[in-house]
Amino acid sequence: LISAGFDCLAGDPLGSFTLTPADLHGMTREVMDVASRHCGDRLVGILEGGYEPGGVGSGVVAVIRALAGLPLP
């Protein structure tokens, strides 16, 4: 289960973290590897939020590209 909140990204006014879309892409790939080994590749993702629209958009794209097996541009 991926609880995809994007307030962890750098620039979010409430999160105060410094993750990048590339970090989210990598973490998603790691979760996918665990799902492959332990639950037949099944995965559920739920969009939670984020408070900087550009960050949310780039974060969502990074996670979707990871789920699709695509690299970041």
Side-chain angles (χ1 to χ4, degrees), residues 53-65:
V56 172
S58 61
V60 168
V61 167
V63 169
I64 290 173
R65 289 186 70 86

Side-chain angles (χ1 to χ4, degrees), residues 3-66:
S3 178
F6 297 98
D7 53 348
C8 60
L9 290 168
D12 188 274
L14 296 179
S16 300
F17 294 100
T18 58
L19 294 179
T20 66
D23 295 323
L24 297 179
H25 187 275
M27 292 187 321
T28 302
R29 296 297 306 165
E30 291 290 328
V31 171
M32 290 172 67
D33 289 344
V34 171
S36 176
R37 288 192 310 271
H38 299 286
C39 55
D41 287 320
R42 291 173 294 186
L43 204 82
V44 174
I46 299 168
L47 178 62
E48 271 196 44
Y51 304 95
E52 199 285 299
V56 172
S58 61
V60 168
V61 167
V63 169
I64 290 173
R65 289 186 70 86

